[in-house]
Amino acid sequence: MNLRNIAIIAHVDHGKTTLVDQLFRQSGTFRDNQRVEERAMDSNDLEKERGITILAKPTSVEWNGTRINIVDTPGHADFGGEVERILSMVDGVILLVDSSEGAMPQTKFVTGKALKLGLRPIVVVNKIDRSDARVQEVLDEVFDLFVTLEATDEQLDFPVLYASGRNGYASDDPEAREGTLTPLFEKIVAHVPPPSVDPDAEFKFLVTLLDRDNFLGRILTGRVESGTVRLNQPIHALDSDGKVIEAGRASKIMAFRGLDRVPVEEAQAGDIISLAGLAVATVSNTICDTSVTVPLQAQPIDPPTLSMRFAVNDSPFAGREGSKVTSRMIRDRLFREAESNVAVKVTESADRDSYEVAGRGELQLGVLIETMRREGFELGISRPRVLFRDGEHGREEPYETVVIDVDEEFSGTVVDKMNQRKAEMTDMRPSGGGKTRITFSAPSRGLIGYHGEFLSDTRGTGIMNRLFEKYGPHKGVIEGRKNGVLISNGSGEAQGYALASLEDRGILFVGHGEALYEGMIIGENAKTDDLEVNPMKAKQLTNFRASGGKDDAIRLTPPKKMTLEQAIAYIDDDEMVEVTPKTIRLRKAILDPHERKKASRKKDAA
């Protein structure tokens, strides 16, 4: 059977997963009466809730005698490690670009990786039925992007299709508003080369994705680079130096057919498959015939730029809500994550009670914490910090390209706030519909915690996209959070009477009846310093009538409740987020007020 391997790459929300849905439908993968969820490829709970793709996933459709293996990829830069790995499995890419937003930061990142590997893209301008579509300008942007990324003449001569993934049509004509995806299928078969592999050589297979199954154990996914693998064939795993890690048998071979993984007796060179039977082999290892001693070369992955400390939860409420609370359980889970996710690095601290977890960004680490929380873990999380390195001219820190789309009335505020964070504006242009697109080069350090403030400044209408740009010179001190916090001075239940009098002091994070402990952060102070308060003070009951004739009912403003990402971005260096399966609490790292003052004095003296 003819074979084509392609990846669909695009910026977040440009319609990759929706387009794959339509490719399924029109290739006959689903029965006419089959009930299928929207965005069928976004299969895990967090992907469904957030409406984003987090994990790269292969699938396949059959069209006129050709099997097309498709890999759906994440659009967020934080999950770029997933995309970098899978590009080695494919022979072509479909670059999807929104007809209004155009080429965005993540488009640049992934396209650059694909072009370096020599892949020739098919450009699909998606959502052409949008009222604010600007098709020709977007195409010019894509061409300029390719030139900037040093594409070859062959890559610059890319075919273009105009499509609406949601409505299921693609065409050579930008004015088309109906039809099918047949032109896209035809373009894939004509433009993407079949896999250039050697079917007669020994079996070789590079692991690019890893997951687990309760019955089969480790499942290794990748493309067969040469030869054929049969069920129960003896195989071994080599690391990048050619050392044998383990030997075993191919106990299960599975091929992708639509949304399902189907067991097969054998797989040939060029096919994307999943393999079970090995217990130690991991991502970037070569699985091969026992006669092979030279491994396949894996793609290098960009290093992490941000880290957080994951600690055992040591608050007074530890162990009340979670089932996994020991450092050993946390350690095993984090090292398992680092094994399957090559963009995450885990190091153990000297005290063995906490772990430094480095990744690509706040969203990536936030998703890891949320996943662990749902699995029953309790954790203490520190403020994110960027990873510095020593360069030619001293200390260097990571910079990001930040593309911001805002209404014109808010652009002054945004530019001012970004300047305070040591960002440099590199471009500013109108982007249609009364909006302005501003591009900055900013140190990652200054962006930690800014997103929530940005949404407030733009009344929720601004859109911010970030992408790692380079390591550059250290920018010096960047001012952090301006306001102090309100700290509970004891343990007990929050009382409405006490909270009502504290409302004048700032914004509260807790409501009446919530359990509190000493050192827990219950609100934001309106002033710059921290303030210890008593939120548990109840009204004294007496047998005297109130002088006004009756007591006024207490009316409290609803407390400000933070999501996990907001809480992580909010905290300062001496604070932590306590994460349990049911609750997210903010607290001081040192709960005892006297110990806190001692630590503060020591820090000032140093």
Side-chain angles (χ1 to χ4, degrees):
M1 176 177 272
N2 277 332
L3 194 59
R4 299 288 185 275
N5 294 325
I6 58 158
I8 297 187
I9 56 177
H11 188 78
V12 63
D13 274 347
H14 280 198
K16 297 178 295 298
T17 310
T18 306
L19 181 69
V20 174
D21 275 3
Q22 290 292 349
L23 290 172
F24 280 150
R25 286 200 171 84
Q26 296 192 23
S27 64
T29 303
F30 299 151
R31 296 189 313 274
D32 290 343
N33 63 347
Q34 189 172 343
R35 191 167 171 275
V36 183
E37 289 184 47
E38 253 191 59
R39 299 195 314 277
M41 290 294 285
D42 285 349
S43 50
N44 84 18
D45 291 344
L46 276 174
E47 289 181 320
K48 285 175 185 165
E49 281 171 32
R50 292 168 182 245
I52 59 172
T53 304
I54 294 170
L55 304 167
K57 291 178 279 299
T59 182
S60 96
V61 299
E62 209 173 299
W63 187 79
N64 287 1
T66 302
R67 177 161 306 289
I68 302 170
N69 286 322
I70 303 168
V71 187
D72 184 22
T73 63
H76 273 280
D78 283 24
F79 309 113
E82 292 278 325
V83 187
E84 287 171 82
R85 280 182 295 170
I86 62 92
L87 287 175
S88 61
M89 291 201 296
V90 298
D91 306 293
V93 292
I94 293 175
L95 173 62
L96 211 61
V97 190
D98 187 297
S99 66
S100 168
E101 291 186 3
M104 297 291 277
Q106 181 66 3
T107 320
K108 177 182 174 181
F109 167 74
V110 191
T111 309
K113 298 280 180 194
L115 294 176
K116 267 197 193 118
L117 289 171
L119 302 174
R120 289 173 58 210
I122 298 169
V123 174
V124 177
V125 181
N126 195 25
K127 307 187 186 180
I128 55 168
D129 50 349
R130 279 181 69 150
S131 57
D132 55 352
R134 40 187 198 97
V135 175
Q136 198 50 52
E137 283 173 58
V138 166
L139 263 182
D140 293 343
E141 281 176 25
V142 172
F143 189 82
D144 292 345
L145 174 65
F146 279 31
V147 172
T148 312
L149 295 170
E150 299 174 0
T152 63
D153 291 348
E154 201 178 25
Q155 288 169 329
L156 285 170
D157 187 20
F158 52 82
V160 181
L161 286 172
Y162 307 94
S164 168
R166 176 169 287 176
N167 297 319
Y169 63 80
S171 172
D172 295 323
D173 176 14
E175 301 303 319
R177 291 296 178 270
E178 57 181 21
T180 65
L181 290 174
T182 301
L184 179 56
F185 283 118
E186 287 171 347
K187 200 69 85 184
I188 291 168
V189 174
H191 184 75
V192 178
S196 55
V197 288
D198 185 355
D200 302 318
E202 295 94 347
F203 164 63
K204 277 190 190 176
F205 166 94
L206 186 69
V207 182
T208 46
L209 299 170
L210 167 75
D211 59 48
R212 281 178 172 71
D213 183 279
N214 291 338
F215 303 104
L216 299 172
R218 276 176 185 236
I219 296 180
L220 310 166
T221 300
R223 183 173 76 164
V224 182
E225 293 296 331
S226 63
T228 302
V229 61
R230 294 178 180 83
L231 211 55
N232 289 322
Q233 176 180 329
I235 50 174
H236 66 195
L238 305 175
D239 65 10
S240 54
D241 302 325
K243 245 191 352 239
V244 177
I245 301 165
E246 68 168 324
R249 289 180 180 277
S251 61
K252 194 97 171 178
I253 303 167
M254 289 167 286
F256 293 89
R257 301 289 180 261
L259 291 174
D260 303 318
R261 271 201 285 225
V262 179
V264 290
E265 291 293 314
E266 65 171 43
Q268 272 115 17
D271 213 350
I272 294 174
I273 60 160
S274 291
L275 198 69
L278 296 173
V280 181
T282 184
V283 172
S284 78
N285 289 162
T286 301
I287 313 298
C288 50
D289 193 84
T290 47
S291 60
V292 176
T293 54
V294 181
L296 295 162
Q297 284 309 303
Q299 283 298 312
I301 299 290
D302 288 352
T305 56
L306 191 86
S307 83
M308 289 182 200
R309 197 165 63 86
F310 284 46
V312 173
N313 183 16
D314 61 356
S315 89
F317 294 168
R320 291 190 184 183
E321 295 173 0
S323 55
K324 296 170 182 167
V325 293
T326 63
S327 62
R328 184 185 59 80
M329 285 174 161
I330 294 168
R331 179 186 187 281
D332 291 349
R333 177 66 181 83
L334 288 174
F335 279 102
R336 215 165 64 225
E337 181 68 27
E339 197 172 52
S340 62
N341 188 344
V342 289
V344 168
K345 299 270 182 291
V346 180
T347 47
E348 204 164 343
S349 68
D351 62 2
R352 296 289 181 107
D353 264 357
S354 65
Y355 303 88
E356 200 72 27
V357 182
R360 288 282 176 86
E362 291 157 84
L363 179 64
Q364 184 194 24
L365 294 176
V367 164
L368 170 59
I369 297 163
E370 182 63 45
T371 308
M372 289 177 70
R373 177 186 177 207
R374 292 179 183 208
E375 290 169 4
F377 283 89
E378 286 194 11
L379 301 161
I381 307 293
S382 76
R383 176 178 165 80
R385 60 182 188 83
V386 300
L387 299 172
F388 299 106
R389 72 176 194 190
D390 294 323
E392 289 175 25
H393 307 292
R395 201 180 196 196
E396 292 185 337
E397 65 177 322
Y399 283 65
E400 294 183 32
T401 301
V402 186
V403 178
I404 291 176
D405 284 296
V406 287
D407 293 338
E408 284 163 15
E409 60 186 293
F410 303 126
S411 56
T413 311
V414 170
V415 171
D416 182 45
K417 288 278 175 77
M418 289 297 280
N419 284 340
Q420 289 172 26
R421 290 172 159 71
K422 304 280 176 88
E424 289 175 20
M425 187 173 22
T426 55
D427 188 29
M428 186 172 184
R429 61 175 74 171
S431 59
K435 284 193 176 289
T436 305
R437 177 168 292 180
I438 317 170
T439 309
F440 295 93
S441 175
S444 302
R445 208 163 32 108
L447 297 169
I448 294 172
Y450 175 53
H451 195 251
E453 199 178 319
F454 166 75
L455 288 175
S456 303
D457 290 344
T458 61
R459 309 285 187 273
T461 60
I463 297 168
M464 179 197 287
N465 289 291
R466 295 162 49 176
L467 179 69
F468 173 73
E469 181 189 329
K470 62 179 183 188
Y471 266 87
H474 188 261
K475 281 276 194 177
V477 177
I478 296 175
E479 201 174 294
R481 190 181 73 207
K482 289 187 175 70
N483 294 52
V485 289
L486 302 174
I487 308 162
S488 171
N489 67 359
S491 302
E493 269 190 14
Q495 297 293 333
Y497 176 73
L499 294 178
S501 58
L502 288 174
E503 283 195 333
D504 298 338
R505 296 279 188 181
I507 302 162
L508 295 180
F509 301 157
V510 297
H512 172 73
E514 282 188 42
L516 311 175
Y517 54 79
E518 186 180 35
M520 184 170 153
I521 295 170
I522 63 149
E524 180 179 287
N525 193 1
K527 296 182 178 173
T528 53
D529 51 347
D530 292 347
L531 185 66
E532 285 181 41
V533 295
N534 179 7
M536 289 139 310
K537 188 177 172 189
K539 183 168 186 187
Q540 297 302 313
L541 299 176
T542 71
N543 57 359
F544 289 97
R545 286 189 174 182
S547 57
K550 66 175 184 11
D551 291 342
D552 286 335
I554 294 167
R555 287 196 180 85
L556 290 173
T557 309
K560 179 183 176 182
K561 291 292 180 191
M562 293 195 192
T563 63
L564 178 61
E565 269 99 9
Q566 285 169 339
I568 290 167
Y570 180 81
I571 56 173
D572 224 325
D573 292 333
D574 64 338
E575 295 162 4
M576 292 176 80
V577 180
E578 179 190 348
V579 180
T580 73
K582 293 179 187 167
T583 324
I584 293 167
R585 298 183 186 94
L586 304 183
R587 51 166 279 193
K588 285 289 181 183
I590 302 170
L591 296 176
D592 185 285
H594 306 298
E595 294 295 327
R596 240 191 344 266
K597 281 178 187 134
K598 271 188 208 166
S600 173
R601 278 199 293 271
K602 266 189 199 166
K603 192 179 171 188
D604 292 343

